[in-house]
Amino acid sequence: MNAGELRHEIRRYRLALLIGALIGALWGSRHPIESRMGLHMLGQFPVLVWGGVWLGARLPLSWQGKVALVNRFGLSGLVLASLVTAFWMIPAALDLAVASRGVDILKMLALVAAGLALQQSWRASGRALQAYFLITWSMMTVTIGLIFQDPTTRLCNYYRLDDQQIAGYGLVLVGVMIVVIWFWQVVAETMRPKDSALDRAINK
Amino acid sequence: MGRILKNIADGLNGSLGPTITLTCCLLLCALITTALLTRGFEGWTTEALRRHAIMDHPLPLPALQVMDETGKQQRLDQYVRLDGRVVLIDFIYTRCNSICTVLGEQFQQAQAHIEQHGLQQKVRLLSISFDAQHDTPAVLASYASRMHADPAMWHFATVKGRASLDLLLRQFGIVVIPDGYGGFIHNAAIHVVDREARLEHIYDLDDFDQALAHALALHA
């Protein structure tokens, strides 16, 4: 294989190489990131979910079609995303992920799947379902965040109390901000002038 | 009402069926997984689960070599069995400035209570250090005198060998993490071990009276 063919092969597989490198970086950074609860829940979790969203956007159309058959109105996808994110907020689950590499791999795969499901389901679900799932997710996240802020009980054996409280503040913030941002988008869309050029182009 | 039912039926007969089926499967999977994680919704934290597990299945003490504050070495399970008394065990390290000192005070109060009620023949205390490198017998002996420990009923020990210590901590479910200030934090508790050297029950630091009452019930 000469240099030109090698470059061609690398270009072909650059996406796979990039994904491999990212996975390697993620796994290699497992210990420093998972040693702090705030970094674990508010750093690693969103990155994994975003990875799933990224993958979902690049899913082949035929696969998207198959997914859509079992995901009318994005219902099963939103349910999956809600269940996965809820499960990994249970203190016992977090401890298990830190203690066991196998469980940690399952957790990472589950969060990526949640992101993928979210990406495939969001647009299909419509504003009503989006509102329902987002608000229930936010209420759950804020509640857990408030519980984590309780200074009397250390809930995870692998995390210090101050770590837990910081994660608690972060969870409340994220839970509130995501609903605020979504609501802002809905209002902005509703307030957009009806006779804008975009609307005319769409309705033509 | 009839129209709503008809709409639902249409939806089920139409393309909504697979979605509903998948959603139900996901909910069922989540329920089963959560039930497995929490041992049937018994507890949501590792500590609660550990205590329930011990209550359901008392844990025989492993046959590890320990060294007490006098330098004497013995197997941990024999150390308990040959003595004949119920023992309350806690895990410490003598360099501790935070929760371990609280535990030390609790055990001081416990010692006073035991002496006051003349229970020395039935119950004793054992503090095991997980900092074997620093907590040599001499250091433990010095710590014992600082705590005004009665050598007849409050003993101190370390575990010989890193692997043995890890095994003991793992079996007991003790997780030690750095506290960010050069010390350690762990899920401190009072462990009630019966005369057959089985870990029977785990109590909060604050629930010392209950731990002592349980120990006396075991001895009876």
Side-chain angles (χ1 to χ4, degrees):
Chain A
M1 195 187 277
N2 64 29
E5 283 170 2
L6 184 64
R7 269 204 299 275
H8 182 68
E9 287 295 292
I10 290 175
R11 220 176 301 142
R12 274 183 70 188
Y13 294 109
R14 67 182 184 281
L15 189 61
L17 285 171
L18 181 64
I19 292 175
L22 284 172
I23 291 173
L26 204 62
W27 190 250
S29 63
R30 177 182 171 246
H31 182 70
I33 291 187
E34 291 183 9
S35 60
R36 304 295 301 269
M37 198 195 243
L39 278 178
H40 192 178
M41 294 185 81
L42 299 165
Q44 197 196 68
F45 283 18
V47 164
L48 289 166
V49 169
W50 179 86
V53 169
W54 185 88
L55 269 178
R58 280 151 188 78
L59 218 57
L61 277 173
S62 57
W63 290 26
Q64 291 195 34
K66 291 202 184 75
V67 166
L69 284 176
V70 286
N71 193 23
R72 284 292 309 278
F73 305 116
L75 185 62
S76 38
L78 289 175
V79 165
L80 176 67
S82 304
L83 291 172
V84 165
T85 48
F87 182 84
W88 291 107
M89 290 201 221
I90 301 173
L94 271 175
D95 269 339
L96 209 54
V98 176
S100 159
R101 258 178 280 183
V103 172
D104 210 20
I105 290 174
L106 280 173
K107 178 202 81 188
M108 291 189 183
L109 289 173
L111 286 168
V112 168
L116 204 150
L118 202 60
Q119 194 278 337
Q120 292 288 298
S121 310
W122 196 247
R123 292 236 169 75
S125 55
R127 287 297 183 208
L129 273 181
Q130 284 177 11
Y132 172 75
F133 279 95
L134 196 60
I135 290 172
T136 50
W137 177 88
S138 168
M139 278 168 50
M140 174 193 68
T141 305
V142 166
T143 306
I144 292 183
L146 291 172
I147 291 172
F148 280 9
Q149 287 174 33
D150 178 4
T152 58
T153 325
R154 196 164 70 97
L155 293 165
C156 285
N157 281 349
Y158 279 94
Y159 291 117
R160 307 190 316 247
L161 193 58
D162 55 345
D163 262 351
Q164 179 185 299
Q165 289 180 303
I166 291 170
Y169 293 129
L171 283 169
V172 170
L173 192 67
V174 165
V176 168
M177 287 312 297
I178 285 193
V179 168
V180 165
I181 291 169
W182 174 84
F183 194 68
W184 188 274
Q185 281 189 330
V186 170
V187 168
E189 191 181 291
T190 321
M191 304 273 280
R192 201 173 60 212
K194 285 291 182 289
D195 58 352
S196 72
L198 182 61
D199 281 333
R200 281 200 297 274
I202 289 172
N203 295 328
K204 201 172 285 189
Chain B
M1 183 66 187
R3 209 168 49 157
I4 294 169
L5 285 175
K6 185 178 175 303
N7 283 343
I8 292 172
D10 279 346
L12 286 173
N13 288 334
S15 53
L16 209 48
T19 302
I20 302 277
T21 310
L22 180 58
T23 305
C24 291
C25 285
L26 290 171
L27 288 167
L28 194 62
C29 282
L31 195 70
I32 292 171
T33 313
T34 310
L36 285 171
L37 171 77
T38 60
R39 286 166 48 93
F41 307 103
E42 253 180 355
W44 300 88
T45 63
T46 312
E47 186 62 14
L49 291 169
R50 151 178 114 104
R51 295 186 188 190
H52 277 112
I54 295 294
M55 281 199 299
D56 290 344
H57 301 285
L59 174 77
L61 292 189
L64 313 163
Q65 289 291 324
V66 295
M67 185 156 64
D68 68 14
E69 73 273 23
T70 64
K72 185 171 116 185
Q73 282 191 44
Q74 209 175 0
R75 260 173 47 180
L76 178 61
D77 55 335
Q78 282 175 351
Y79 189 58
V80 173
R81 247 186 243 119
L82 294 176
D83 183 86
R85 289 179 282 182
V86 175
V87 57
L88 301 179
I89 297 181
D90 70 336
F91 289 85
I92 59 160
Y93 71 110
T94 64
R95 286 185 285 170
C96 175
N97 296 318
S98 57
I99 206 167
C100 296
T101 49
V102 171
L103 198 51
E105 284 162 22
Q106 292 279 31
F107 267 33
Q108 278 181 315
Q109 286 176 35
Q111 178 177 257
H113 191 109
I114 292 171
E115 279 169 347
Q116 204 176 14
H117 292 86
L119 303 166
Q120 296 94 318
Q121 303 308 315
K122 298 187 179 169
V123 188
R124 66 176 174 130
L125 309 169
L126 174 62
S127 296
I128 300 181
S129 166
F130 52 78
D131 189 6
Q133 215 173 6
H134 178 268
D135 292 338
T136 59
V139 171
L140 286 179
S142 145
Y143 179 77
S145 68
R146 276 207 312 277
M147 290 285 132
H148 307 292
D150 176 354
M153 73 148 115
W154 186 359
H155 303 111
F156 299 78
T158 50
V159 181
K160 292 282 298 170
R162 180 84 228 183
S164 295
L165 176 64
D166 286 344
L167 177 68
L168 182 65
L169 293 178
R170 201 168 49 245
Q171 285 200 354
F172 268 59
I174 303 290
V175 175
V176 182
I177 54 171
D179 69 357
Y181 300 104
F184 302 106
I185 287 191
H186 69 290
N187 44 326
I190 299 169
H191 303 79
V192 181
V193 175
D194 66 13
R195 296 192 285 172
E196 283 83 47
R198 289 179 316 176
L199 174 59
E200 244 260 333
H201 214 289
I202 300 173
Y203 285 94
D204 268 350
L205 304 184
D206 298 329
D207 294 338
F208 185 77
D209 290 339
Q210 291 180 35
L212 198 51
H214 190 120
L216 291 172
L218 280 176
H219 192 275

